[in-house]
Amino acid sequence: MAQAVIFPKLGQTMEEGAIVKWLAKEGDTVKKGDILFEIETDKANLEVENFFEGVLLKIYIREGITVPVDTVVGYIGAKGEKVPDAPPPPEKSAAQPAAQPIATPTPAVAAPQPLTVAPAATTSTPPLPRPAAAPSKPAKLIISPRARALAKESCIDPAPVKGSGPGGRIVEKDLRAYMESSGYDHLRITPAAKRLAAANQINILTVRGSGDGGRIMTEDIERAIKRKPVAMSRMRQVIANRLVESKQNIPHFYVSVKADITELMSYRLLLKERGTSYSVNDFILEAVILSLEEFPVVNSTTDGKSVSWRGDVDLGMAVSVANGLLVPVIRAAQTLTMAELKAQTKALALKARDGKLTPDEMVGSSFTVSNMGMLGVDQFSAIINPGEAGILAVASAQEVPAIVNNEIKIRTIMAMTLSVDHRIVDGAVAAQFINAIKAKLEELELWKSLT
Amino acid sequence: MYDYDVIVIGAGPGGYPAAIRSAQLGKKTAIIEKEAFGGTCLNWGCIPTKTLIASAERYQQALHADEFGVSAAKVTFDYSLMIKRKDEIVKKLSGGIQMLLKSNGVEMINGSARFEGPDRISVVQADGTFRWLRGASIIIAAGSEAAMPGFLPKHKLVMDSRAFLDLKELPKNLLVLGGGVIGCEFACMAAALECKVTIVEMLDDILVVLDRDVRRVLRKKMEELGIQILTGAPLTEIKVANGKVTGMYKEQELCGDALLISIGRTPNTAALELGRAGVKTEKNGTIPVNQQCRTNVASIFAVGDLITGSIQLAHAATQQGVVAAEAIAGMKSSVEKLCPSCIFTMPEVGLAGLSEAQAKEQGRAVRSAKFSFAALGKAMAAGATDGFVKWIADPQSGQLLGAQAVGSHATELIAEAALAIRNELTIAEIGNTIHSHPTMAEAWMEAAHAYHGQCIHILKR
């Protein structure tokens, strides 16, 4: 009997996702353990293994369509076995309230329409706009067929034309007058560029020509094609929504310090010579963890009515990846030794860069560190992740002249800016907290005891 | 404060047009040349080779004149007279360039230049004296020379193309290392003058820039000319002994009276001391430039063979030289993207734009159409039925992306293709353009008809 292939739930908070690539096609023989498809969730791309032996009989969910978890995306079975033309609706699990509107495709439609699901009210992820929303069609234009054909052939958009026909209907005469007044007859365009514009519905009146004497070349049309809106990836959309949510709801307050890490850098080199290499980031994370233990209010969260202490330090670590940013979480970081912290940090960063983080590894942080030390910045301010009370923005360490014991010396100085939710963290507390971090970074004895 | 508005280093096909254009734009201009005005192109490249190839072709025509009903009793040639003719033509052209420079008010300086700073140049002049120059802008057009890697024996029988052109006598038996443009052109010229030629090319075929179908025609004709073409392995153990050059190709020992090295060219940048001016170079010595031929130093420009990614053709250098001069004068000129190439083999090859293989590598949809000279009246009349022309087009828009031609006059024919591609004509427009009859150029129109399956002169299958 044919086995249903289910869109997997790969994280506790995962509710939906899209198949970005099928690695097998209908009719292919597939083995247990083969990678069947790749999925894209809000946070990562993941490969999904096959659990059955047989032939991939049917694919219901095409690439790029967002579906709820547990959706039947296809069937695997014996060659020639009959399977339904449309997928059965996903089984309702306890996690999904019965009232949740799930639009299931009507069985008569062979190619399934995109399924939609509203996110559950409890999720921390804000509602997502649908990707690939086609630019909304303008109000219907009243235009004669001849005028419409002329506009199409001339590669112009007839929308701005004033119609002189009954009810403002645009007729050929109007279009010709518009073309004359808009300088259309003076436009110069290469034959190939014009054909390309026609094929891609580019209004050539809006294209600037780069050829000899302002002539429009294919390159210019290609640029115009690229200007058409493109749907953002799901990851990008999540980032966008979370940033807007944060900036709109959380009153940010910023405070900056400069830490002198000259001694720490020398100590780090010494450790390296002894065979243990820590990154500067490891020390920063540890200093933050220790300080969060001292200032529980910074390790808290608020909804505007109540404030709750998070208990554990679940430290988020911003990692920039190819086309976005991921924040893997180091759980209960206060329980880890420096060596354990270093090992976890490294493992998570590598997983993030290889796209191997699971969604569960990226939720539930209580405070975040964003380190741009490698990117040559003097100072920057970060936006708080919703659900947290603060984020520390770490800039590049720089060698600068500094006054030490009334003398000018070359010191390694690193600027840090703390962003806090001003609803629960007062300015003075923020100042004390960031100075606690700074003091730890500058206190060599501490590191000697920890490493 | 400055001695000149513009100083040009090198008077080859990149440098002298740059100097003339600068002078035309009202700039006080000097040009420094260490050897001969006209550079490699005119003295040891394009022009001398084409002169000798013309002699070789004339000899071949005389040999085979009986096909045309003409009998020539005893056809012979004297290579030294061919060289003399070449030298005269070169001398005339080089003199012409000096007159052009002079008439435009460009100061000519004979000597070797090197940078002393971003706007300072020192010149060791031909008479041994020193001269210091300061220029507000500098155009580097110092060209390239044949690459002669260290593993080659240092001997006069192992020579680059420049030394070959000075031979007073043609070797009886010539080995050519490198089946690129220069190697193939020299091989054809020598073979047409009864020299036994062997080309050794490490890659799988000669002239790999060309589409396979073009190569097939060319290789067959070159082999008919008596050239042995060995590919897919290097020439190793190169030795010179007893007036012979020997080397190993796979298991086979090759022996010749001379070995021509044509495995690429290296930029003449080392002696310029570019570091003193702060001009960046790549590992291979080439200078990266932008669309206006500007280097990383805003007042210094570079054109021709020594820029990074150069296609090393005289006409490309000329256009770049003009662009650099115009950029210095504040104009918004930029380097042309399309540059046709010509290969003066027997038969000739012309190409412009993308090859079919390149277009496919870019992931574009491509459609091509060919027309063979065998079906063309003029080609039959002229006894030149080998080869074809080919259009490469975008199937959606019909835009011409590239063209290749192989056969008699292919290097002239490619000009039409270059004009059409640059101005983004579609293949239908080529088909609609009346081409004079009977001409070789009709093949372009016929190929356009073939693209649409509307050929008048091809049998319906």
Side-chain angles (χ1 to χ4, degrees), chain A residues 190-193 195-196 199-200 210-212 215-219 222, chain B residues 336-337 364 394-400 422-426 428-429:
Chain A
T190 69
R195 290 197 61 169
L196 191 64
N200 290 282
S210 66
D212 300 337
R215 192 165 183 224
I216 298 171
M217 312 294 286
T218 48
E219 200 180 77
E222 277 160 12
Chain B
E336 282 287 319
K337 291 181 197 83
R364 308 187 64 129
D394 178 302
Q396 191 201 355
S397 63
Q399 181 182 359
L400 299 171
R422 181 195 184 271
N423 293 296
E424 299 186 343
L425 299 192
T426 61
E429 288 163 305

Side-chain angles (χ1 to χ4, degrees), chain B residues 77 79 164 167-172 189-191 193-195:
Chain B
F77 67 88
Y79 189 70
F164 189 94
L167 293 179
K168 295 285 173 280
E169 208 177 319
L170 206 57
K172 294 258 172 307
M189 183 270 284
L193 293 175
E194 315 289 359
C195 169

Side-chain angles (χ1 to χ4, degrees), chain B residues 228-294:
Chain B
Q228 186 183 18
I229 300 172
L230 306 172
T231 55
L235 183 65
T236 56
E237 296 172 45
I238 300 167
K239 292 190 195 90
V240 184
N242 308 323
K244 297 276 180 197
V245 187
T246 57
M248 296 297 293
Y249 166 80
K250 295 181 181 169
E251 304 296 299
Q252 185 184 349
E253 194 192 46
L254 304 176
C255 178
D257 302 316
L259 172 63
L260 172 68
I261 308 296
S262 49
I263 54 174
R265 297 182 66 84
T266 48
N268 289 334
T269 44
L272 296 173
E273 298 281 359
L274 292 168
R276 296 183 190 203
V279 175
K280 271 197 202 124
T281 53
E282 298 288 345
K283 272 208 185 88
N284 60 9
T286 58
I287 307 172
V289 293
N290 71 3
Q291 276 303 296
Q292 291 201 305
C293 296
R294 203 186 290 266

Side-chain angles (χ1 to χ4, degrees), chain A residues 347-378:
Chain A
L348 287 171
L350 284 177
K351 272 175 125 179
R353 260 151 229 181
D354 297 345
K356 297 269 177 355
L357 285 173
T358 64
D360 282 347
E361 284 172 313
M362 289 182 279
V363 290
S365 53
S366 62
F367 185 90
T368 299
V369 175
S370 175
N371 188 342
M372 293 228 271
M374 303 301 282
L375 298 170
V377 295
D378 290 345

Side-chain angles (χ1 to χ4, degrees), chain A residues 284-294 313 315 333-334 341:
Chain A
I284 297 166
L285 294 186
E286 181 68 22
V288 168
I289 294 162
L290 294 173
S291 305
L292 282 171
E293 289 276 275
E294 293 167 19
V313 176
L315 193 63
Q334 84 279 6
L341 178 69

Side-chain angles (χ1 to χ4, degrees), chain B residues 306-325:
Chain B
L306 48 62
I307 66 173
T308 305
S310 167
I311 62 167
Q312 303 194 324
L313 291 171
H315 46 268
T318 301
Q319 205 263 334
Q320 291 158 9
V322 169
V323 166

Side-chain angles (χ1 to χ4, degrees), chain A residues 60-137:
Chain A
Y60 296 119
I61 305 300
R62 287 166 297 146
E63 294 168 354
I65 295 170
T66 300
V67 293
V69 295
D70 297 335
T71 299
V72 175
V73 298
Y75 271 103
I76 290 174
K79 198 173 172 168
E81 216 175 321
K82 274 261 175 268
V83 293
D85 282 342
E91 285 172 35
K92 293 205 169 79
S93 66
Q96 287 168 323
Q100 201 170 312
I102 298 172
T104 46
T106 44
V109 182
Q113 297 301 304
L115 302 179
T116 55
V117 52
T122 51
T123 178
S124 65
T125 313
L128 274 182
R130 295 289 111 195
S136 54
K137 281 247 157 49

